[in-house]
Amino acid sequence: DVHSEVSSIVNRVLKKEKGVRSLVYESSFTNKRLLLRLAAETLKYHQVFENILAGKECRPLRDERIMEGDMGYIYVCMYELLVGRGTKGLPDQVSTLLMHYGPLLRAREKELAAEGRGLESMREKKEQREKECMMPRYARINTLKWTEEETLESLEKEEWTVVRLAEGEDFIHRIKTLKSHEVLVDPHVESLLVFPFHPDFHTYWMVTNRNLILQDKASCLPAFLLSPPPNSSIIDACAAPGMKTSHLAALVQNTGEIFAFDRSNDRVETMNEMLRYGGVKNTRVLNADFLRVDTSSKQYSKVEYALVDPPCSGSGIVKRMDEWIGGGVDEYRLSKLANLQAMLVKHAMSLPALKRVVYSTCSVHETENELVVAELLKDVPHFRVVEGVLPEWKERGKETYEFGRHCLRADPSKTATNGFFVAVFERVEESEKSTKKGKKKVAKRMIEEEEEEEEEEVEKKKVKKEKDGEQKKKKKKVKKE
């Protein structure tokens, strides 16, 4: 029963247990698209439904025995009655009850509409929000299936006009002026194309065949910046649903080996399916918690590259539901997430042969981004932030941190992507550590010598002052005599 399933999801989202998409993925209900649509729509209008139920005539609906006080179920039923397809598909008893309350609910909604708080007002707000969310469609060329040259040739045969950013041309302005038949070769990320927004682009044959993979530009940055060479041994610590894993496989052209970990059974199934259809052949998918993995195990002894894109608040995702459920910043939750994030990166850094690791989040919060990096640099001295990463990318980390300018941030209004954060770390070689230690010792010795010289100077002045004092006393004594 889809309505009962939606009810459970709505209740859990409103309690802030998990996000809508995570709960939909976890559900055993097979039609995920229907489930996601109905849950998301119910949540978007639930504040109006709550205000309707606050009316004296409508309030008893909450206490009707058949509803069992289940607010999630009441909300989804109200959605179907007032916005959706009516009472069709609901149990007969529920349908009869709603037909009884229907005139009362509609009358109360009209009162709210007169105050600008009705369904139409919420619908307009929703449409405006959706317009703001109409970012371009980013599509990564799946180089495991064909080359960039073959892709562009095929697009031109289908009457797309392939364009590139002219020198000095502003990227944001260019994508906002893309015509319906134009496709832009992204100037920052290799093998990434930018198409004008179209709601049905996901049905385009290149996408359904996995020749193009729909992936937000910011989400492409972690694998692109990790940049493992062919035949690398790589770990993707929190891999599902597999977008970044497939990107890594494409970068090394299915050579070497990728260990892709995720502890969620359902998400691992989704990842297996995605990797299979995408032509990925060099990846071992492991349904396991990466924190429980023995990094000293022989099978991971050659891993030199790691990508850690851990669970986060998702505050950078443009289409999040926070606005509709009254979500604010939960500092306690952020601190717990930051602790988990730091633990996962530290665990990756314990891999004996690791040379390079990328840490990324789809969060805009400093707690999950710069503060985590600061903790890592403090606790794991044999790794440092790589300097000068993607210098043409203007949005950087917070300047209040010394390393901030070497991290990347993404902002919907400035980069036309979801909000994102990326930091690239590399191992500090022993020789460099020794050199640094030597420099520190020299610097310390120089400071000590300066301090000793200062103390000697002070002592000399003190002695001189005492001598001068004694001489003055003698002169005074001589004068008196």
Side-chain angles (χ1 to χ4, degrees):
D1 175 14
V2 66
H3 297 101
S4 297
E5 199 66 26
V6 168
S7 162
S8 172
I9 289 171
V10 167
N11 285 327
R12 293 183 68 184
V13 169
L14 291 176
K15 288 177 185 174
K16 298 184 180 178
E17 290 181 17
K18 283 189 177 181
V20 181
R21 291 179 185 276
S22 296
L23 292 168
V24 168
Y25 269 117
E26 289 175 9
S27 172
S28 57
F29 192 79
T30 51
N31 191 338
K32 305 288 187 188
R33 183 171 292 181
L34 171 63
L35 192 62
L36 178 61
R37 182 190 64 78
L38 196 51
E41 290 292 300
T42 301
L43 283 163
K44 285 174 185 177
Y45 289 104
H46 96 277
Q47 289 173 333
V48 179
F49 301 150
E50 201 169 294
N51 290 332
I52 290 172
L53 292 171
K56 185 179 178 182
E57 302 295 327
C58 304
R59 202 173 300 152
L61 178 59
R62 294 172 178 264
D63 303 318
E64 291 287 349
R65 183 178 58 81
I66 196 169
M67 293 300 191
E68 299 179 346
D70 185 338
M71 293 311 300
Y73 193 70
I74 293 170
Y75 290 149
V76 71
C77 289
M78 289 178 71
Y79 171 79
E80 291 286 38
L81 178 70
L82 302 174
V83 184
R85 56 180 184 170
T87 58
K88 185 181 178 182
L90 292 167
D92 291 342
Q93 286 180 299
V94 174
S95 181
T96 302
L97 182 68
L98 289 175
M99 294 303 289
H100 167 72
Y101 274 95
L104 300 172
L105 296 172
R106 291 189 179 94
R108 171 63 178 159
E109 194 277 328
K110 280 185 180 179
E111 290 176 13
L112 293 170
E115 299 170 10
R117 297 191 295 144
L119 291 169
E120 189 58 36
S121 173
M122 186 60 73
R123 192 178 287 114
E124 287 172 2
K125 184 180 177 183
K126 173 175 169 280
E127 287 172 358
Q128 179 59 34
R129 179 66 173 145
E130 285 175 349
K131 281 181 184 177
E132 292 170 5
C133 293
M134 283 184 188
M135 292 189 295
R137 286 287 194 169
Y138 293 102
R140 178 168 55 80
I141 298 169
N142 185 0
T143 54
L144 296 177
K145 291 206 166 189
W146 58 353
T147 65
E148 182 172 331
E149 187 180 350
E150 289 169 334
T151 308
L152 299 181
E153 282 179 7
S154 183
L155 286 167
E156 286 173 340
K157 283 178 184 176
E158 297 198 0
E159 299 187 353
W160 287 93
T161 302
V162 178
V163 296
R164 296 177 188 272
L165 202 66
E167 190 175 347
E169 190 175 15
D170 181 67
F171 173 72
I172 300 297
H173 174 73
R174 186 66 187 89
I175 60 173
K176 282 183 178 177
T177 57
L178 271 180
K179 295 175 183 174
S180 60
H181 63 277
E182 288 183 324
V183 54
L184 175 71
V185 177
D186 188 82
H188 300 112
V189 179
E190 289 177 12
S191 302
L192 186 67
L193 301 175
V194 190
F195 291 83
F197 176 82
H198 193 288
D200 297 323
F201 188 68
H202 64 279
T203 63
Y204 186 39
W205 73 267
M206 290 188 189
V207 176
T208 56
N209 284 7
R210 302 295 201 279
N211 288 50
L212 292 179
I213 294 175
L214 296 182
Q215 185 173 357
D216 185 66
K217 180 176 179 174
S219 174
C220 294
L221 289 172
F224 177 64
L225 295 176
L226 186 62
S227 190
N231 299 305
S232 295
S233 185
I234 309 162
I235 276 181
D236 190 349
C238 308
M243 291 284 193
K244 297 176 186 68
T245 312
S246 68
H247 194 180
L248 289 168
L251 288 168
V252 296
Q253 282 297 292
N254 263 337
T255 63
E257 186 170 25
I258 301 172
F259 300 95
F261 295 92
D262 205 279
R263 63 182 186 178
S264 167
N265 294 334
D266 292 337
R267 285 166 65 83
V268 162
E269 284 181 22
T270 303
M271 177 162 60
N272 272 320
E273 183 179 332
M274 185 197 170
L275 297 179
R276 184 169 62 255
Y277 288 149
V280 175
K281 296 175 181 176
N282 68 337
T283 299
R284 287 180 58 189
V285 175
L286 299 140
N287 189 183
D289 183 346
F290 178 64
L291 282 176
R292 296 179 179 275
V293 171
D294 180 6
T295 54
S296 64
S297 172
K298 187 179 179 181
Q299 63 180 324
Y300 309 123
S301 62
K302 294 181 181 179
V303 172
E304 294 182 326
Y305 298 87
L307 194 158
V308 184
D309 185 73
C312 73
S313 64
S315 53
I317 304 297
V318 173
K319 294 185 179 180
R320 275 184 66 80
M321 299 296 298
D322 292 355
E323 179 181 344
W324 309 108
I325 64 175
V329 177
D330 184 340
E331 293 294 346
Y332 176 69
R333 179 169 177 258
L334 287 185
S335 64
K336 283 180 69 178
L337 283 167
N339 182 53
L340 173 63
Q341 291 153 356
M343 285 171 62
L344 283 160
V345 184
K346 287 175 189 176
H347 197 57
M349 286 175 169
S350 70
L351 288 158
L354 194 73
K355 290 180 178 177
R356 191 176 178 99
V357 57
V358 165
Y359 169 62
S360 62
T361 73
C362 52
S363 169
V364 298
H365 297 303
E366 182 180 348
T367 304
E368 298 177 273
N369 298 332
E370 287 88 355
L371 278 175
V372 169
V373 173
E375 180 181 335
L376 293 168
L377 292 174
K378 179 186 173 186
D379 294 351
V380 193
H382 55 281
F383 275 88
R384 65 183 173 198
V385 173
V386 177
E387 298 181 0
V389 170
L390 204 61
E392 62 271 28
W393 190 270
K394 294 177 183 177
E395 296 305 308
R396 317 300 291 193
K398 292 189 178 292
E399 293 179 1
T400 46
Y401 297 85
E402 190 179 341
F403 56 79
R405 67 186 185 280
H406 303 304
C407 301
L408 272 61
R409 273 182 173 268
D411 180 299
S413 63
K414 297 174 182 176
T415 58
T417 66
N418 283 312
F420 222 80
F421 176 85
V422 186
V424 185
F425 295 87
E426 65 183 359
R427 185 182 290 275
V428 179
E429 297 298 331
E430 287 299 322
S431 57
E432 291 182 60
K433 280 163 62 177
S434 300
T435 303
K436 282 185 179 179
K437 283 181 182 177
K439 285 180 179 177
K440 283 182 180 179
K441 283 181 180 178
V442 170
K444 187 179 178 183
R445 182 59 192 154
M446 286 174 70
I447 292 168
E448 287 173 353
E449 286 175 358
E450 285 176 7
E451 287 174 350
E452 285 173 7
E453 286 175 6
E454 285 176 7
E455 286 174 6
E456 285 177 10
E457 192 63 33
V458 169
E459 189 62 32
K460 283 178 183 178
K461 286 179 180 179
K462 186 179 176 183
V463 171
K464 187 175 183 298
K465 191 176 181 181
E466 287 174 356
K467 283 182 178 179
D468 290 345
E470 286 176 8
Q471 285 176 357
K472 282 180 182 179
K473 282 179 184 180
K474 284 180 181 179
K475 284 180 180 178
K476 283 180 181 180
K477 192 176 178 183
V478 170
K479 282 180 180 181
K480 282 180 182 181
E481 290 175 352

